[in-house]
Amino acid sequence: MEKPKRESLIRELKDYLIHLKDVGYTEIPCEAELLANATTQASLPPNEMTKNKSLTAVQKELGDCTRCKLSETRKNIVFGSGNPKADLVFVGEGPGADEDEQGLPFIGRAGKKLTEIIEKGMGLNREKDTYICNIVKCRPPGNRDPEAEEIEACNPFLIQQLQAIKPKVIVALGKPASSTLLGRSVPITKERGTWHEYAGIKLMLTLHPSYLIRFYTLENRKAVHEDMKKVLKELKK
Ligand code: SF4
């Protein structure tokens, strides 16, 4: 293998391992491969966003969901929050402890960072200008990554949420959200800042706020800033 490619792979692997540690793993999860495979199956989006139901109807259908084992350990379902008609939707991976406690997405440390990015960085109002949700609506115990079958069980509701909102731009926060929306394993540090499409909607990949907190380097801050600049430009079109 040529040297620059090998170095980039080693850097990505190192980043991933540190991220796993950061979100609570003490050993390497054997589900990682399963996740990569299953997100491919789970995340096939519709060809285009045909508006079917309102967000309220989607939430009603989700109900007191027990479609996967995360229902056994969650306190609250974290459906999503923000403007149901927002042009911009952020999709993260799953609720953490604070979110599980209050039933709201991105309200802990990572949430504060995301609010800062939206409000100070982009000059938008989090509640009025955006909608925020996750690929799974219940907290994975110990903040582990969601497993393949959990993502698969929850994915129809994510698709319906996005169909109901029909935003102009979706931003995937971090690797699990990017991989789920694109249906393949995404090396996020390599692909962040690139445009993709999800059911006819522009999709930007960027770093997860918790990763940004963990690696609060000038390079990472600049990277997210650049990604959000691209999003703003697209929104103004
Ligand atoms: S994660 Fe999704 S599918 Fe699983 S129990 Fe929660 S709402 Fe239902």
Side-chain angles (χ1 to χ4, degrees):
M1 193 185 299
E2 51 196 281
K3 206 173 165 210
K5 201 171 174 189
R6 197 180 64 197
E7 280 173 4
S8 145
L9 275 174
I10 292 170
R11 198 171 53 240
E12 260 171 42
L13 179 63
K14 199 173 149 206
D15 283 355
Y16 181 59
L17 291 173
I18 294 169
H19 172 67
L20 286 179
K21 190 173 168 222
D22 193 39
V23 297
Y25 278 106
T26 51
E27 52 193 46
I28 297 171
C30 61
E31 300 93 335
E33 197 185 329
L34 278 175
L35 173 68
N37 292 338
T39 49
T40 309
Q41 297 160 15
S43 60
L44 291 176
N47 290 333
E48 57 177 29
M49 285 297 173
T50 45
K51 190 162 182 159
N52 297 326
K53 297 174 192 159
S54 67
L55 264 187
T56 315
V58 178
Q59 190 165 11
K60 203 172 162 200
E61 189 184 322
L62 183 69
D64 191 21
C65 184
T66 54
R67 291 170 181 84
C68 83
K69 66 177 182 298
L70 293 182
S71 61
E72 293 161 19
T73 46
R74 72 158 184 248
K75 285 187 184 159
N76 287 296
I77 293 181
V78 181
F79 183 70
S81 77
N83 182 352
K85 292 182 180 158
D87 283 342
L88 176 59
V89 172
F90 288 91
V91 180
E93 63 191 71
D98 295 328
E99 290 78 11
D100 183 42
E101 202 63 53
Q102 294 190 42
L104 290 168
F106 281 92
I107 52 165
R109 252 184 106 205
K112 287 195 178 80
K113 180 53 68 190
L114 181 60
T115 307
E116 189 186 308
I117 292 167
I118 294 169
E119 305 211 330
K120 284 194 188 152
M122 303 177 81
L124 300 176
N125 180 287
R126 174 175 159 159
E127 283 306 309
K128 284 189 194 151
D129 299 320
T130 74
Y131 187 88
I132 302 175
C133 59
N134 287 299
I135 55 173
V136 291
K137 317 289 180 222
C138 302
R139 183 192 182 203
N143 291 354
R144 63 162 170 75
D145 279 357
E147 291 172 3
E149 59 270 28
E150 295 157 0
I151 293 175
E152 203 174 342
C154 222
N155 197 50
F157 295 95
L158 174 63
I159 292 175
Q160 289 186 68
Q161 263 179 317
L162 295 171
Q163 278 178 325
I165 302 166
K166 268 188 134 182
K168 284 187 186 153
V169 174
I170 299 168
V171 175
L173 299 166
K175 182 183 173 77
S178 302
S179 300
T180 297
L181 291 173
L182 284 178
R184 63 180 169 83
S185 182
V186 173
I188 190 65
T189 49
K190 196 167 154 198
E191 289 201 40
R192 59 131 284 275
T194 56
W195 282 114
H196 300 263
E197 215 173 84
Y198 181 86
I201 295 174
K202 298 283 272 182
L203 169 66
M204 168 59 65
L205 315 182
T206 195
L207 304 175
H208 193 282
S210 69
Y211 181 90
L212 193 59
I213 292 170
R214 179 75 178 80
F215 303 101
Y216 202 60
T217 62
L218 185 61
E219 191 190 354
N220 286 340
R221 276 181 282 162
K222 237 171 116 183
V224 173
H225 181 68
E226 288 303 316
D227 301 349
M228 294 307 106
K229 253 168 68 181
K230 289 181 192 171
V231 168
L232 278 177
K233 200 171 162 199
E234 186 61 35
L235 287 171
K236 279 177 190 154
K237 266 186 190 172

